[in-house]
Amino acid sequence: MNQKLYEKFPIILTSGRLVEYEGGGDETSSNPWLAELQQENFVEINPKAAADRGIKNRDYVWVKSPTGARIKVRALVTERVDQGTAWVPFHFAGWWQGNDLRKYYPEGAAPVVLGEAVNTATTYGYDQVTMMQETKTTMCQIEKFA
Amino acid sequence: MARMKFICDTERCIECNGCVTACKNDNEVPWGVNRRRVVTVNDGIIGQEKSVSVACMHCTNAPCMAVCPVDCFYRTDEGVVLHDKDICIGCGYCSFACPFGAPQFLSKGAFGTRSKMDKCTFCSGGPEENGSVAELEKYGRNRLAEGKLPLCAEMCSTKALIGGDSDIISSIFNNRVAIREKNGKYPGSKAFGWTTAYGGPDTPAPTPAPAAKIPGAK
């Protein structure tokens, strides 16, 4: 609180499911019929919040976390979220902070669709017993990818 | 004889894409061709978001059939509009003529030349012999010949998409509309008519809900 992180990271980031994919995503995004329906990871951002940052629909953006990590995803400008919230699906893997890691997968093992894993950018809290990451409430800042 | 049609109930469609995936699965549709797709309007605006699943509507007076320069289209006894891929030259006229975007092409080969046209067949294959391997490879599965209905309508999770004999499915849909109007719960249930398509004098323009009405929003 004393670092005023809430000013540098004013948007609450939450994550959730897509109907086409399941879990970590590697299994279902290897299915070409499902992969064709959701081909990229994205962040849902409110039109007012996007306009404040000069972000248009389908621009690449950096979603930055107080831990210093950042993920590169497409922006989906929509009324689904309000001004202080952003939503990213989990289910994607294979990109790391903007780098496509397809070449590191064993031959033929990579899913059809790769994308940033949202938990790269989620916050540092962990459940004490299960070590489960904090998936639903993270602070973030979203910037246009330059 | 039965006249085969689809109706997609926009009040029930939840954009799950189950119909899309079922079609891709059973007909082995390649990447890039979308025989069936779900269109959503007013996305994110509470109370006004509607989705509808669109594929070939098997029109009684099909524009695709009317414009084809090599006459590769034909109608079956059940009113299904099909075409012969062996005759198709991939010119694309049917795709321009269709108001639903049903005829689809792959861009293959040099200069992105079009492949043969592919579209929803109401799961009734093509001119090849019913159930043959050639039919499966070219047109996909023939379910009507087995006495079954198209897989998209069978797989619909909410029974928004119904397909089959037009008398039967329109009576199902009319039933739903009557119940909704009786309940008074769904003002958008006036399914037919000019004001439904184009809006009457008191139809409001779609507007986002103010933040005050979204639970939990600032």
Side-chain angles (χ1 to χ4, degrees), chain B residues 11-155:
Chain B
E11 296 288 335
R12 283 202 187 190
C13 180
I14 54 172
E15 202 192 345
C16 73
N17 279 310
C19 51
V20 173
T21 314
C23 173
K24 286 230 149 198
N25 181 355
D26 224 25
N27 297 304
E28 306 273 339
V29 181
W31 184 288
V33 173
N34 303 296
R35 289 190 179 190
R36 179 168 283 285
R37 54 241 164 256
V38 177
V39 175
T40 302
V41 293
N42 294 339
D43 181 56
I45 300 176
I46 294 177
Q48 297 176 24
E49 179 177 329
K50 295 277 182 272
S51 298
V52 63
S53 173
V54 184
C56 174
M57 300 299 266
H58 300 282
C59 308
T60 307
N61 192 2
C64 57
M65 207 180 328
V67 303
C68 177
V70 292
D71 250 338
C72 75
F73 287 88
Y74 63 100
R75 303 200 79 196
T76 67
D77 289 335
E78 290 164 322
V80 179
V81 175
L82 297 176
H83 73 296
D84 190 337
K85 286 195 186 186
D86 293 322
I87 301 176
C88 172
I89 56 172
C91 70
Y93 279 14
C94 52
S95 187
F96 296 137
C98 176
F100 305 104
Q104 311 242 328
F105 298 87
L106 287 170
S107 297
K108 311 206 268 211
F111 310 109
T113 48
R114 290 189 201 95
S115 66
K116 305 279 182 179
M117 187 277 273
D118 188 64
K119 75 166 181 70
C120 161
T121 58
F122 210 85
C123 285
S124 68
E128 303 280 352
E129 193 189 313
N130 286 346
S132 62
V133 174
E135 186 189 46
L136 176 65
E137 284 176 0
K138 287 189 199 168
Y139 303 101
R141 205 147 142 230
N142 190 337
R143 288 175 64 89
L144 286 194
E146 298 167 29
K148 302 175 185 167
L149 288 174
L151 198 62
C152 51
E154 304 271 39
M155 292 286 231

Side-chain angles (χ1 to χ4, degrees), chain A residues 65-120:
Chain A
S65 154
T67 58
R70 54 189 193 160
I71 54 174
K72 178 182 171 194
V73 288
R74 291 254 193 216
L76 179 80
V77 178
T78 174
E79 293 283 349
R80 296 177 197 168
V81 289
D82 71 358
Q83 287 179 40
T85 311
W87 184 90
V88 179
F90 46 87
H91 307 303
F92 289 88
W95 279 23
W96 176 253
Q97 302 203 68
N99 296 316
D100 188 343
L101 303 182
R102 189 174 284 270
K103 56 183 184 286
Y104 297 112
Y105 282 87
E107 182 76 38
V112 178
V113 162
L114 296 178
E116 286 277 3
V118 67
N119 290 325
T120 307

Side-chain angles (χ1 to χ4, degrees), chain B residues 175-206:
Chain B
N175 225 8
R176 290 184 191 171
V177 171
I179 292 173
R180 286 172 193 153
E181 288 187 335
K182 195 165 62 121
N183 289 344
K185 282 194 179 161
Y186 294 101
S189 67
K190 291 181 177 50
F192 310 106
W194 190 267
T195 52
T196 298
Y198 297 102
D202 49 351
T203 302

